[in-house]
Amino acid sequence: MTMLTKSIIANPALAAEGKLKIDWVEQHMPVLNRVRALFEQEQPFKGLRVAISLHLEAKTAYLAKVVQAGGADVVITGSNPLSTQDDVCAALVQDGITVFAKYNPDPKEYKDLMIKTLETRPDLIIDDGGDLVTILHAERQDLLSQVRGGAEETTTGILRLKSLEREGKLQFPMVAVNDALCKHLFDNRYGTGQSVFDGINRTTNLVVAGKTVVVNGYGWCGKGVAMRAKGLGANVVVTEIDPIKAVEAYMDGFAVMPMAEAAKVGDYFVTVTGNKDVIRGPHFEAMKDGAILSNAGHFDVEINIPELAALSVSRRTVRKNIEEFELKDGRKIYLLAEGRLVNLAAGDGHPAEIMDMTFALQALALKYVNEQYEAIGKRVVNVQRETDEQVARYKLEALGTSIDSLTDEQAAYLDSWAEH
């Protein structure tokens, strides 16, 4: 059976368009190109099958090709129904990668495609949000035995993994890639910040300057969104449950208030908390006419859409990726991208140069867990510091930038407690 007949995709005829997208990002991912050269030489995944669940667009596709270059038989599926790009899927199939993914499948088909990915019996996995790991542990334990370990992309996924670990149920090691410095400092902050407004702006075609943007959550993603909103000329309000992060937002120059108050003043809302019901019934009732809601958290639960629908007398699509909810008093509230990740469901996700570092970490973390899975045990572990630093050095080299290093005397001084 050929790869093409094994795969489940929307339209194989789109491969040429997908290939152009992948070729473009490859030219802008020099760090991952360095990793690819390493993998081609060392073949760390020779004879192994790797299952990947990530937002299936061009940058992810190039990561899959890098893992394939390391000797792996790669099987890939999406991690969000609206972020899969059918032309990219077709291009990957043409390149010998098995793909189980389509744009906007219904919930049952979406999950079935994930299960088909796992039924190929992978040795290693790359997960985004913890869906593959959750299915393996909760529903398909018959597929667990061959899995050596894997790497997780997101904050949400790491929370789920650590919950499994605390309960003593995690059955293989996972590397928390999101906790690496080169991931959350750059991907979460600069990547999310830019791509959220790429999605909002291309979808709404409205100005941000002079408007009030409410950012729900001031973690690394929230910091990036607030920073970019400010750069576009917005007045920024931050809501938080963490007093330390709230003080940080205040010191960064943003207004801080409870969501009940922020709901009254916001023109745009961006949720980036990883939690559910961040924006809910009482908040909708307080919002201005024309308020625009968007989510940049992994799951579509941060905005309580059923409560919004219950308060509405009509609901209609007014523009691609914009749904209008008319409330009983005539106010209209607009929801972007069905409450799913606005930067991927209504855009192309993070810039290639940002994902270059993140996906280099993913690839190297997968190599590490494959080499050390027995020693690691059934735990969630961090990316090794030397891997983090190596990715940063590759990035600096690509930028043509050099930095200082300690002299022997300086190193000895820092290591000594006696003479200072």
Side-chain angles (χ1 to χ4, degrees):
M1 185 179 291
T2 66
M3 288 291 182
L4 185 60
T5 55
K6 284 172 60 181
S7 295
I8 299 175
I9 61 173
N11 187 355
L14 298 175
E17 298 171 34
K19 185 177 187 305
L20 288 174
K21 289 182 178 180
I22 298 168
D23 288 348
W24 172 258
V25 301
E26 180 181 348
Q27 294 176 52
H28 296 88
M29 301 181 87
V31 179
L32 202 52
N33 287 333
R34 287 285 298 270
V35 175
R36 179 174 185 162
L38 177 72
F39 282 5
E40 286 173 341
Q41 180 179 357
E42 296 184 356
Q43 293 290 289
F45 310 121
K46 187 174 182 180
L48 301 177
R49 178 169 291 124
V50 176
I52 299 174
S53 173
L54 290 169
H55 297 286
L56 221 175
E57 43 77 55
K59 299 175 289 289
T60 297
Y62 189 52
L63 169 64
K65 292 181 67 172
V66 169
V67 173
Q68 182 189 45
D73 173 16
V74 178
V75 186
I76 192 166
T77 190
S79 64
N80 185 295
L82 297 185
S83 63
T84 294
Q85 297 183 9
D86 289 328
D87 52 356
V88 170
C89 294
L92 282 178
V93 171
Q94 199 171 82
D95 283 339
I97 289 173
T98 305
V99 182
F100 296 117
K102 298 177 180 178
Y103 174 76
N104 202 21
D106 64 48
K108 182 181 183 304
E109 184 180 16
Y110 173 67
K111 186 173 181 180
D112 286 345
L113 292 169
M114 281 198 170
I115 291 173
K116 286 185 179 296
T117 301
L118 291 171
E119 286 177 341
T120 64
R121 295 191 171 274
D123 301 283
L124 298 162
I125 62 174
I126 294 177
D127 210 355
D128 187 326
D131 281 342
L132 289 184
V133 172
T134 298
I135 291 170
L136 281 170
H137 285 76
E139 301 175 40
R140 295 302 304 269
Q141 296 180 1
D142 58 306
L143 302 174
L144 274 169
S145 60
Q146 192 167 327
V147 180
R148 297 181 177 185
E152 167 58 48
E153 173 82 0
T154 67
T155 306
T156 299
I158 291 170
L159 290 173
R160 299 174 87 182
L161 288 172
K162 289 184 176 178
S163 177
L164 270 174
E165 184 183 19
R166 280 195 306 272
E167 294 178 17
K169 296 178 179 177
L170 185 63
Q171 294 301 304
F172 47 76
M174 290 290 292
V175 181
V177 172
N178 185 74
D179 289 352
L181 292 171
C182 278
K183 204 285 186 182
H184 65 256
L185 289 179
F186 306 114
D187 177 315
N188 293 12
R189 179 169 41 168
Y190 298 105
T192 304
Q194 179 169 323
S195 63
V196 159
F197 283 100
D198 287 345
I200 290 173
N201 291 341
R202 75 160 65 174
T203 301
T204 65
N205 194 32
L206 298 175
V207 72
V208 177
K211 303 283 182 64
T212 296
V213 174
V214 176
V215 181
N216 304 106
Y218 204 65
W220 286 108
C221 292
K223 290 180 178 68
V225 173
M227 178 172 59
R228 290 292 166 253
K230 181 179 180 180
L232 287 167
N235 303 302
V236 180
V237 173
V238 171
T239 73
E240 250 301 341
I241 60 166
D242 183 324
I244 297 171
K245 291 179 181 176
V247 172
E248 185 179 13
Y250 172 80
M251 293 289 190
D252 285 344
F254 304 124
V256 178
M257 62 185 73
M259 185 56 199
E261 296 300 316
K264 301 173 185 177
V265 300
D267 298 297
Y268 291 92
F269 295 82
V270 184
T271 56
V272 273
T273 71
N275 210 339
K276 63 182 291 189
D277 299 340
V278 178
I279 302 179
R280 51 192 183 273
H283 305 140
F284 303 132
E285 292 177 335
M287 285 180 182
K288 297 179 185 179
D289 181 33
I292 294 171
L293 311 180
S294 64
N295 169 53
H298 186 80
F299 292 114
D300 58 342
V301 296
E302 303 210 18
I303 301 167
N304 193 316
I305 301 169
E307 288 189 6
L308 178 57
L311 291 169
S312 303
V313 295
S314 70
R315 177 178 180 176
R316 64 177 182 141
T317 299
V318 293
R319 184 178 165 100
K320 183 180 179 182
N321 283 319
I322 304 180
E323 204 168 5
E324 176 192 88
F325 293 79
E326 184 175 351
L327 305 188
K328 296 171 185 176
D329 61 4
R331 282 179 300 124
K332 294 173 181 177
I333 294 175
Y334 298 97
L335 176 69
L336 305 188
E338 300 179 13
R340 297 187 183 277
L341 280 158
V342 70
N343 51 345
L344 280 147
D348 286 322
H350 294 1
E353 297 100 327
I354 293 293
M355 295 311 296
D356 187 26
M357 300 175 72
T358 293
F359 283 164
L361 285 168
Q362 281 282 15
L364 293 171
L366 198 69
K367 178 177 182 287
Y368 168 71
V369 81
N370 181 52
E371 293 169 347
Q372 301 293 330
Y373 66 96
E374 291 179 337
I376 296 170
K378 300 172 182 180
R379 297 185 297 127
V380 181
V381 296
N382 291 328
V383 172
Q384 291 180 297
R385 176 72 186 205
E386 51 264 39
T387 301
D388 231 348
E389 291 185 355
Q390 187 60 63
V391 167
R393 290 183 190 283
Y394 284 162
K395 178 66 175 178
L396 289 171
E397 288 175 14
L399 294 170
T401 299
S402 59
I403 60 174
D404 291 318
S405 57
L406 294 175
T407 65
D408 291 343
E409 291 81 3
Q410 287 173 323
Y413 176 80
L414 292 176
D415 282 341
S416 171
W417 63 270
E419 295 182 7
H420 279 270

